[in-house]
Amino acid sequence: KNAMADPQNHPSSVPPFVPFHGFVVKTFIEPDGKKLFVNICHHDDTMQRPLDARGQDVAGLSTHFDDLRIPVLISKLRTCVDGSQVKSSAVDIVVNSWCIEMCNRKDFPDFKPRFVVTALGWIAEEHSIKLQAQGRMPWKIIKSKYKGGFGKDGSNV
């Protein structure tokens, strides 16, 4: 895991790369219950495909999620607002497009939820935060493609 490059460290306001949106997961930060939007993004030129247990590039399908080593970039937490204009937080996770393709496959229905749970663990560890307890539904995939970004409705990466 690496923190995404900080655009403030660059001479222009253009980030070092712009990932493509994948899907958004909504969860909550404990103990205050603040909403957190997790943008699962992808980029092939920047992110290496996952590796299998032997350290080899996954050439195609992998049915063994636990054996994958998934390179990931995690952004800083940032403030945004939700659809009701309530102050919330957003964070981006960038992976190789292979991960998004696997998440969208109907013949591997367990891949997406396992990936989301793993990604939420990475965020909690990277930012030293506690995410919603397991007592309630801890997360939900929402219809948005991106939250907390640029543009009028914050949906631009």
Side-chain angles (χ1 to χ4, degrees), residues 67-115:
D67 292 338
L68 293 176
R69 294 185 220 156
I70 302 173
V72 61
L73 294 176
I74 300 173
S75 74
K76 293 180 179 181
L77 290 173
R78 61 188 178 281
T79 301
C80 65
V81 293
D82 67 8
S84 301
Q85 301 303 305
V86 174
K87 193 180 210 182
S88 305
S89 293
V91 64
D92 299 340
I93 286 192
V94 183
V95 294
N96 184 277
S97 299
W98 181 91
C99 294
I100 302 300
E101 291 168 15
M102 288 298 293
C103 284
N104 292 331
R105 289 186 65 105
K106 302 288 185 226
D107 53 340
F108 289 98
D110 291 343
F111 191 92
K112 191 172 198 172
R114 292 186 75 189
F115 176 79

Side-chain angles (χ1 to χ4, degrees), residues 125-139:
E125 181 181 332
E126 181 77 20
H127 292 294
S128 301
I129 58 175
K130 183 177 178 184
L131 298 178
Q132 182 170 303
Q134 297 294 327
R136 302 181 289 171
M137 176 60 178
W139 55 269

Side-chain angles (χ1 to χ4, degrees), residues 5 35-36 41 48 50 52 56 58-60 62 71 75 78 80 84 98 118 128 131 137 148 150 156:
K35 234 180 250 183
L36 174 64
C41 305
Q48 176 185 352
D52 64 18
Q56 302 296 313
V58 290
S62 176
S75 74
R78 61 188 178 281
C80 65
S84 301
W98 181 91
T118 301
S128 301
L131 298 178
M137 176 60 178
F150 300 104
N156 294 340

